[in-house]
Amino acid sequence: MQIGILGGGQLGRMLALAGYPLGLRFRTLDLSSEAPAGQVSELMAADFNDTDALKRFARGLDVVTYEFENVPVDPARFLSRRVAVFPPPEALEAAQDRLTEKRFFERLGIPTPPFIAVDSWDDLKNALNDTGLPAVLKTRRFGYDGKGQVVIRKTEDVSAAWQSLGGVPLILEGFVAFEREVSMLAVRSRNGETAFYPLVENHHHEGILRLSLCPAPGATSELQGEAEELASRALAALNYTGVLAIEFFQRDGHLLANEMAPRVHNSGHWTIEGAEVSQFENHLRAILGWPLGSTAPVGFSAMLNLIGTIPDLRSLLAMKNLHLHLYGKAPRPNRKLGHLTLRVPSAEARDTGLAHLRQLIGQSE
Ligand SMILES: Nc1ncnc2c1ncn2[C@@H]1O[C@H](COP(=O)(O)OP(=O)(O)O)[C@@H](O)[C@H]1O
Ligand SMILES: [Mg+2]
């Protein structure tokens, strides 16, 4: 079986690495001939809108998937007339635009932060009357890792926010004073079987995910049930196949959906060592219509992203319960270069291990 992946980043790379033990082969399509997945798959460097390249890409593939959500929808549709494409292009479309995405959640009765479309300076002033301050102004499309968004805290910040983002379609959201951020990784197979990983607690800094903890400390079975129920609505509405990640804000003990990603997700990297079967393998099983593997956690995991620089590897590798993943990318500020997963038998061991790990990373940065 050969799988095509649109996008050649670290997610594509980890999908391929998870697929080889299952006897699968991979072809990836990326703009850059240097894409990290190219080191572990047959990489085609081409523009997603180049239909001749798409035809060549599709030749001989059994199924096509994506590893980043800004793959343009038209090429995904074009490919879906030649080969099975999962998740469905409709899911890509729904997730690419923050306004469409929030309206999608709203239609399904999935709670979200308050949001209003903003296309002009007047829209922004009116919207701010509704949300009050603070509020978050975001571009509707192409935002990631906190890019394309500004928190407006005071009236004096409003015009600067408009200066920096105005001119493209925007969305204004009420600022949620959340207790914490959690995410749900849900998976649905081509044959309708579904499975859910335990809720993950996520910590962002400057809009970039730094740390994920799974199981999320103190997550009750009620909260897990709430997340699974909300995710099930999204899976059903999209007739979804593959892994779907939903980021939530937890406030007053309940969940507000922030955004979703129709793909494997950074907050699921811990599953490689910390779950019976990883998100990557389960995504592949799902799109192939194979039985899903167990999503049960194995011990307690903490996943730390390596961003911008790579710390001293010898001291990291000396930690016995630590697993290192490097993506084969050149260091650059704010770039995700790899991640570390600490997997230990108890929540206490996770706390102490994490404190030690942070010290190590701090020392070598
Ligand atoms: N409405 C909001 N209220 C409070 N914090 C927010 C809000 N929207 C975003 N954030 C913060 O910014 C981070 C990144 O925003 P998000 O919408 O998830 O964009 P990205 O696509 O960059 O991940 C969130 O994880 C959260 O920490
Ligand atoms: Mg996010």
Side-chain angles (χ1 to χ4, degrees), residues 69 98 102 113-114 135-136 138 143-147 149 151 173-178 181 204 207-208 247 249 258-259:
E69 71 261 38
R98 294 186 194 278
K102 292 234 157 53
V136 190
K138 301 179 181 179
Y144 71 98
D145 284 350
K147 292 187 178 67
Q149 57 176 279
V151 181
E173 298 177 9
F175 185 89
V176 179
F178 49 76
E181 294 185 79
H204 295 84
I208 307 181
E247 297 177 12
F249 300 140
N258 168 37
E259 62 171 349

Side-chain angles (χ1 to χ4, degrees), residues 218-235:
T220 59
S221 56
E222 285 76 21
L223 194 69
Q224 178 74 22
E226 183 175 323
E228 290 186 10
E229 201 272 314
L230 297 176
S232 298
R233 290 188 212 175
L235 291 176

Side-chain angles (χ1 to χ4, degrees), residues 114-128:
F115 64 93
I116 305 165
V118 168
D119 291 313
S120 66
W121 170 246
D122 285 341
D123 283 356
L124 177 58
K125 284 188 296 183
N126 291 333
L128 282 163

